[in-house]
Amino acid sequence: NYSCSKCAEMEKHIRSSLTINRGSDAPGQLKVIETQLNSVLRMELCRLQGIEYSYNSIFANIDDVFLPNIIALAGQEHGQDELYRMLIATAPDLTSIISRRAVLPERIAENTAQVVALNAAHVRQVADLKAENLQQTAALDVKRLELERELESIESGQGGGPFIS
């Protein structure tokens, strides 16, 4: 009976998962390594669940930066065949990482130049504000001195009438 053999296969995988759960400090990680990074087993699990198998589907939600480590882990755990399958499936993503690595030093330099330019602009603006403040303060000091002289003149009786400015 086909359904009984399918049930037996599913039960075998469930028992394997339960064994991993009981015998590992990191069962989730170990189950991913054992099942998801093994294309043959992943294909079998998809078939048992009635899910269409796609080799590339495992990589869809993985950040490209992590791909080299995942590929190395799969090759270490499941051998060269799995390593080659993963390399073929992820070649475009790996190429973008390599290109990105080549571009990053340039982007860092551009960013640093922008920070330097921003700081220089800030220093210029502060200097301009200080100069403007000094001019306004000097003008106000002159005005204050004029007013103080006028007040002294009025108080000493030498001033003649109200001040008109």
Side-chain angles (χ1 to χ4, degrees), residues 30-105:
L30 188 55
K31 284 188 278 191
V32 167
I33 292 168
E34 298 257 334
T35 60
Q36 298 304 308
L37 296 184
N38 181 333
S39 61
V40 174
L41 186 53
R42 196 169 66 254
M43 188 181 336
E44 183 181 326
L45 290 169
C46 286
R47 181 187 55 78
L48 287 171
Q49 297 173 61
I51 300 170
E52 185 178 331
Y53 173 78
S54 168
Y55 189 82
N56 292 337
S57 66
I58 188 173
F59 306 110
N61 295 320
I62 296 175
D63 191 333
D64 294 345
V65 175
F66 299 117
L67 285 177
N69 293 336
I70 292 169
I71 293 168
L73 181 62
Q76 182 181 20
E77 294 293 322
H78 302 295
Q80 252 184 348
D81 286 345
E82 194 63 42
L83 174 68
Y84 292 141
R85 284 187 199 107
M86 283 191 154
L87 284 172
I88 290 167
T90 60
D93 297 320
L94 291 172
T95 322
S96 74
I97 293 171
I98 293 166
S99 299
R100 184 155 173 78
R101 281 190 183 144
V103 169
L104 283 177

Side-chain angles (χ1 to χ4, degrees), residues 84-135:
Y84 292 141
R85 284 187 199 107
M86 283 191 154
L87 284 172
I88 290 167
T90 60
D93 297 320
L94 291 172
T95 322
S96 74
I97 293 171
I98 293 166
S99 299
R100 184 155 173 78
R101 281 190 183 144
V103 169
L104 283 177
E106 181 181 324
R107 303 258 330 259
I108 290 168
E110 288 171 2
N111 179 270
T112 302
Q114 289 173 342
V115 169
V116 168
L118 186 62
N119 286 335
H122 177 334
V123 168
R124 280 191 306 277
Q125 289 173 345
V126 167
D128 290 347
L129 285 173
K130 281 184 180 180
E132 184 180 335
N133 179 276
L134 286 173
Q135 286 177 343

Side-chain angles (χ1 to χ4, degrees), residues 147-158:
L147 293 171
E148 286 175 349
R149 282 191 210 124
E150 183 181 349
L151 179 62
E152 284 177 16
S153 173
I154 292 172
E155 288 177 345
S156 68
Q158 296 174 0

